[in-house]
Amino acid sequence: MAERRADLAAYRAVLASRARAQLTYRTSFAADVLANVGVGISELATVYVVFWRVDTLGGLDVWSACLVFALANLAFALADLLVGHVDELPRHVREGTLDAFLLRPLPLLGQLATSEVSLRRLGRAGVALAVLVVALPRAGVEPSAATLALLGGSVLGGTAVFCALFVAAGALQFWLLEGREAANSFTYGGANAAQHPASLYPGPLRWVFTYVVPASFVAYLPVLALTGRTGPAGLPSWLGWCTPLAAVPVWAAALLLWRAGVRRYTGAGS
Amino acid sequence: MSAPALEVQDLVREYVLRVRRGRFRRQRRVVRAVDGLSLRVERGESVGFIGANGAGKSTTVKLLTGILVPTSGTVRTCGLDPAPNRRDLARRIGVVFGQRSQLWWDLPLAESFRLLAAIHGLPGARWRARRDELADRLDMDAFLGTPVRQLSLGQRMRGEVAAALLHSPELLLLDEPTIGLDVLSSERLRRFLRSEREAHGTTLLLTTHDMGDVQRLCDRVLVVDSGRLAYDGDLPGLARRVGARRVLVVDLREPVPPLHVPGADLVAVEAEGLRQRLAFDPTATTAAEVLAGVSRLAEVRDLSVEEPDVADVVRQLYASARR
Amino acid sequence: MPVTAYPALAAAGFRRYSAYRAATAAGALANTVFGAVKAAVLTGTVVAAGGSVAGYGVAQAATFAWLSQALLAPVSVFADDRLARRVRTGDVAVDLARPVDPQLAAWADDLGRAAFQLLPRGLPPLLVGALTTGLVLPPEPAGYLLGCASLVLGVSVSFALRWAVNLTAFWLIDVRGVLLLYTVCATVLTGLAVPVAWFPPWLAALAAATPFPSVLQAPADVFTGVVTGAAALRVVAVQTAWLVVVLAAGRLLLAAGSRRLVVQGG
């Protein structure tokens, strides 16, 4: 227990130092945040244009669709902020910093995850949060303890899902070593799938995005539960309460993959 | 407390290389980087680990520290099996890779020390005292506030060594610590490492290409070749074994005919006799005696002594073993 | 000026990218996944709108989704920072000293890159599209010919834009923000997110005032047969006009930048 607390203090010290380093160059940091606001807005363009053409999409009205967009983007931006830099694993291997991590008395994944914190992603998270706040009352969501629990659970669970995807994608690079783009097909593809109503997807795709890469759990299912809608066959809306649970198997898979990757690097396995 | 600092038994480490054959076919080739290595280093010893490029030195250091896992054989570092006990071991050893950095590139050196102290969970009073001691003895006060990327190589290496020693490890492993350093910087680093060992009894193991490092720092030399131990003993013994010779280079006031001095062989005459090179066996005579011999024949303006090259020594060692 | 140098440069660009096999395969996978999601969203919209949105039926919408993902890598919607890095490190002086025109040389290289990426990055999404939603293709050979011309123009406009944006590195210390801003604008205005024809009037007017639709929307429209005949010829003419304008803007930026380089001595 005491050791766990000491580990946390170490991570906190490194993260605080990284955050301070980013804030040193204020103009450059402000420009980065602004650019990420732009990314958030450009992601919203699809919802805006589509609902300029139609009133409902996949059984959702514009404000419910905005909620799906907001929850998915908030979770993804937070995960990207926290562990998005895990995809820089090949650089750490090349420059030998991975060996330096291995010579310190902390877990490797913990060190890599806390080696950076991309505060500029707050720009994209901010856009998502703004959309969430504007859309909630308009989608007819009543403020209540249950609503709050559902929102909190899905943001935390969704962030955990994307964090796990980032870790899995990072672990894959122990094998690929030039595959940053491969990593991104996992993570960005999952994020893209999460921000649209899963009811639009043809059967097999919907199944993949629910039970393999649980993108539907991040936003669409919680919004069904929030707005009291029933989903398409196979996606009952009570599943919307299960986002944190959906993160568990993804994390388990990601950690197994990570362990296999580290074993490959140290030459312990295979 | 009785466990030796390092104990290695029949250590083997293989790599699988995939060699391209033709456009699509790839062939697996197994390469043994370390091939049945056994050695033992007691606490408080200072050991030089030498060998030619690709002899398996760096791989061995990675096996000793738990970065790599052996294919077969056993390793005990400070009595621990390194890879499964990586975190416990990390608190007890310090490692410096000469060509890799463990410091934060964009942060001041002092900030790197603060973060490393947090990572090792060192109490504030203890690590600050240790930092001040290291900063003083390594003469780092002037650049503690400078971002690491702006440091000269010599300054950075002092920072790397201090970083590896901040948690007062009982064993310090150095992989090519003086590579690329100028004469003054490497001499300063060696002096510091000697004093560190005297003050704290730290066990030292260093891989190097530089016989100067071994001469100044180590009481014992291990020579590794093709992943196997080729020699284990002291430096004079190694020189005796291979008949390695040092070379006295003299620059003379005036050109003279080739010099013939007892106990030394003339190996080269350059600049029409202005510079001459004399090889001698350090176990039979000394540089001073050879110089005295030269001075009787010509006026010496400048001189230097060249150490035998590690690669040469290893090559000669193997040549003599095959004979 | 040795005119034969340019085909050689294009071949070099082709070869350079052919070295990244795993990355290419992974990129194709990503394009296919994005294509599937986009096809679902766009066809869902057309169905919800009663079968047609701005001239796109269900089949056209699906084809547009797959095709835009297939062309995403060849026309390179997202900005890279190769030239900006050369400017920052001063290596650009070497490019300026070469006996070939720097803009034409980089253009040739980029066409080589696009030629390599066309099949490995384009075929997988199109194949999956053909097998799942089906694709609509030009009814006559003339459509393919015009589509190819439009595609080469799209790659070229995209190149000219990215080249010019990279040159801002002459004046800015950090171009990361500018490049990200470019990518943000390009994502929306090229039609990568939603077809430009679906935009509300103000956004459509904004897009039409920029060269971005010429990058991706134009070749996609010609290939899917959303525009045909004289309308298609007009699309290609607009692309050509934008190409001339953006290339000229790039040359002006380079001239100003290299003057600055000379004045400040690098």
Side-chain angles (χ1 to χ4, degrees):
Chain A
M1 223 37 229
E3 184 173 63
R4 189 62 56 81
R5 219 169 21 245
D7 286 5
L8 289 179
Y11 294 141
R12 219 167 28 238
V14 176
L15 284 176
S17 172
R18 294 318 307 160
R20 269 200 306 280
Q22 284 170 48
L23 296 174
T24 315
Y25 303 100
R26 273 171 201 284
T27 12
S28 147
F29 178 70
D32 279 349
V33 172
L34 217 63
N36 275 276
V37 168
V39 172
I41 292 175
S42 77
E43 291 287 333
L44 189 57
T46 306
V47 180
Y48 169 67
V49 172
V50 163
F51 279 93
W52 192 77
R53 290 285 173 181
V54 298
D55 295 326
T56 60
L57 184 68
L60 299 184
D61 61 19
V62 61
W63 295 115
S64 305
C66 279
L67 286 183
V68 174
F69 168 89
L71 285 179
N73 272 268
L74 188 57
F76 182 73
L78 289 177
D80 202 359
L81 178 149
L82 292 172
V83 298
H85 43 268
V86 172
D87 73 354
E88 295 204 1
L89 183 79
R91 183 174 64 78
H92 289 293
V93 171
R94 213 171 41 243
E95 293 175 6
T97 25
L98 200 68
D99 289 351
F101 288 156
L102 282 168
L103 295 170
R104 290 176 189 158
L106 288 175
L108 185 62
L109 181 57
Q111 288 187 71
L112 189 63
T114 56
S115 68
E116 196 51 89
V117 51
S118 316
L119 289 181
R120 58 178 185 277
R121 312 277 186 219
L122 284 174
R124 186 168 173 183
V127 173
L129 193 63
V131 173
L132 186 68
V133 169
V134 170
L136 269 176
R138 289 169 177 79
V141 179
E142 301 292 335
S144 70
T147 308
L148 219 61
L150 190 52
L151 276 176
S154 41
V155 171
L156 285 180
T159 307
V161 165
F162 284 130
C163 284
L165 288 182
F166 273 117
V167 168
L172 275 182
Q173 308 205 42
F174 278 113
W175 287 270
L176 291 173
L177 278 183
E178 46 158 282
R180 219 169 148 173
E181 214 164 344
N184 293 350
S185 73
F186 250 97
T187 49
Y188 288 63
N192 184 253
Q195 66 183 6
H196 302 295
S199 47
L200 289 174
Y201 304 145
L205 199 61
R206 191 191 301 160
W207 191 83
V208 166
F209 282 132
T210 304
Y211 298 109
V212 182
V213 179
S216 314
F217 280 96
V218 173
Y220 176 67
L221 291 170
V223 168
L224 288 185
L226 273 171
T227 58
R229 282 185 170 81
T230 40
L235 288 185
S237 64
W238 58 263
L239 279 177
W241 288 89
C242 303
T243 311
L245 283 180
V248 174
V250 199
W251 262 107
L255 289 177
L256 279 176
L257 200 61
W258 178 262
R259 226 180 60 154
V262 174
R263 285 172 67 83
R264 182 189 156 83
Y265 182 76
T266 60
S270 73
Chain B
M1 283 314 280
S2 58
L6 291 169
E7 194 173 20
V8 172
Q9 200 59 246
D10 303 321
L11 187 62
V12 172
R13 171 67 211 201
E14 291 173 344
Y15 285 109
V16 177
L17 287 185
R18 286 192 167 73
V19 192
R20 275 181 77 162
R21 304 259 162 186
R23 191 172 260 280
F24 297 106
R25 271 179 342 117
R26 292 198 177 174
Q27 207 179 42
R28 268 170 61 102
R29 229 185 77 207
V30 177
V31 178
R32 282 203 166 186
V34 177
D35 187 7
L37 188 72
S38 298
L39 59 91
R40 190 183 160 101
V41 173
E42 299 300 335
R43 279 161 196 275
E45 273 196 284
S46 175
V47 176
F49 195 56
I50 65 177
N53 275 334
K57 298 185 306 264
S58 292
T59 305
T60 306
V61 171
K62 287 183 176 178
L63 290 163
L64 295 176
T65 51
I67 292 176
L68 286 180
V69 176
T71 307
S72 69
T74 57
V75 180
R76 290 293 175 273
T77 304
C78 300
L80 298 172
D81 185 0
N85 300 293
R86 189 178 65 71
R87 293 183 59 187
D88 286 334
L89 190 61
R91 294 198 178 87
R92 296 173 59 182
I93 64 172
V95 185
V96 176
F97 287 105
Q99 287 164 304
R100 300 277 174 90
S101 183
Q102 58 181 316
L103 304 168
W104 281 262
W105 210 235
D106 56 340
L107 298 179
L109 198 50
E111 177 82 352
S112 278
F113 292 155
R114 195 180 67 81
L115 292 180
L116 282 170
I119 284 171
H120 280 280
L122 304 177
R126 195 179 127 205
W127 80 263
R128 283 198 191 88
R130 179 71 168 151
R131 176 199 59 193
D132 294 343
E133 179 204 345
L134 290 166
D136 179 47
R137 283 167 50 209
L138 278 162
D139 209 3
M140 300 191 299
D141 286 314
F143 55 87
L144 270 180
T146 311
V148 172
R149 66 186 140 80
Q150 291 172 15
L151 298 179
S152 73
L153 184 62
Q155 291 172 331
R156 208 202 79 205
M157 276 316 296
R158 278 185 267 163
E160 298 280 354
V161 170
L165 287 170
L166 194 66
H167 56 291
S168 308
E170 53 203 87
L171 168 67
L172 181 63
L173 296 127
L174 303 119
D175 192 20
E176 301 283 358
T178 56
I179 199 160
L181 293 190
D182 59 73
V183 182
L184 217 65
S185 301
S186 30
E187 194 47 48
R188 186 210 293 266
L189 197 58
R190 289 170 188 152
R191 227 176 17 241
F192 165 78
L193 288 171
R194 262 206 315 270
S195 72
E196 174 67 20
R197 194 183 155 210
E198 276 158 22
H200 300 282
T202 315
T203 313
L204 291 183
L205 180 99
L206 61 129
T207 77
T208 185
H209 268 89
D210 188 336
M211 279 310 247
D213 286 348
V214 180
Q215 234 147 15
R216 305 266 154 45
L217 282 173
C218 305
D219 355 283
R220 187 174 152 206
V221 191
L222 301 171
V223 181
V224 64
D225 186 83
S226 309
R228 270 176 296 236
L229 202 58
Y231 175 82
D232 180 354
D234 60 6
L235 194 59
L238 178 61
R240 264 199 306 282
R241 169 87 82 85
V242 300
R245 299 193 298 178
R246 303 172 77 190
V247 174
L248 179 72
V249 185
V250 288
D251 285 352
L252 307 169
R253 283 257 177 249
E254 277 153 20
V256 296
L259 296 166
H260 292 286
V261 177
D265 291 329
L266 185 69
V267 287
V269 178
E270 292 159 19
E272 292 159 359
L274 267 177
R275 170 176 288 184
Q276 309 208 9
R277 293 171 182 271
L278 299 114
F280 62 96
D281 178 353
T283 57
T285 180
T286 65
E289 275 177 42
V290 179
L291 180 63
V294 172
S295 305
R296 279 194 285 277
L297 301 170
E299 194 181 346
V300 176
R301 192 171 57 80
D302 198 2
L303 69 119
S304 61
V305 181
E306 287 176 357
E307 305 299 338
D309 180 62
V310 170
D312 269 353
V313 170
V314 175
R315 217 175 297 124
Q316 288 175 36
L317 189 68
Y318 266 75
S320 66
R322 278 181 208 116
R323 241 185 290 155
Chain C
M1 192 183 294
V3 177
T4 49
Y6 298 109
L9 286 168
F14 185 98
R15 270 198 307 277
R16 186 146 36 78
Y17 279 84
S18 65
Y20 302 109
R21 282 186 206 188
T24 305
L29 176 66
N31 289 142
T32 309
V33 172
F34 274 85
V37 169
K38 199 158 124 185
V41 173
L42 294 188
T43 53
T45 308
V46 171
V47 170
S52 166
V53 174
Y56 285 69
V58 168
Q60 270 96 3
T63 308
F64 178 83
W66 296 110
L67 191 61
S68 60
Q69 282 297 321
L71 297 184
L72 169 61
V75 302
S76 186
V77 171
F78 306 137
D80 61 281
D81 67 343
R82 254 178 65 203
L83 179 59
R85 262 184 306 183
R86 292 188 73 78
V87 171
R88 197 174 55 231
T89 56
D91 288 347
V92 73
V94 180
D95 302 345
L96 292 173
R98 289 214 175 96
V100 290
D101 181 84
Q103 192 184 38
L104 294 182
W107 188 5
D109 181 87
D110 202 55
L111 285 172
R113 175 200 60 74
F116 168 73
Q117 290 185 327
L118 191 59
L119 292 186
R121 294 289 296 268
L123 271 188
L126 288 181
L127 218 61
V128 172
L131 292 174
T132 52
T133 63
L135 300 173
V136 284
L137 297 166
E140 74 250 65
Y144 284 98
L145 268 177
L146 207 57
C148 290
S150 178
L151 179 57
V152 172
L153 283 166
V155 173
S156 302
V157 172
S158 162
F159 155 75
L161 279 168
R162 285 177 285 122
W163 197 75
V165 169
N166 267 268
L167 288 178
T168 54
F170 276 116
W171 296 272
L172 301 173
I173 302 162
D174 189 1
V175 294
R176 206 173 48 177
V178 173
L179 293 180
L180 191 56
L181 191 68
Y182 171 88
T183 296
V184 164
C185 292
T187 308
V188 177
L189 300 179
T190 56
L192 180 64
V194 196
V196 175
W198 295 21
F199 287 4
W202 72 270
L203 195 57
L206 180 69
T210 70
F212 287 115
S214 292
V215 171
L216 183 66
Q217 185 71 51
D221 277 349
V222 176
F223 269 123
T224 49
V226 169
V227 292
T228 46
L233 281 173
R234 225 189 57 217
V235 165
V236 172
V238 169
Q239 282 184 291
T240 313
W242 273 120
L243 179 60
V244 172
V245 170
V246 183
L247 282 176
R251 300 197 84 90
L252 284 175
L253 279 172
L254 180 68
S258 45
R259 246 196 324 278
R260 189 182 158 86
L261 197 69
V262 173
V263 171
Q264 299 192 339

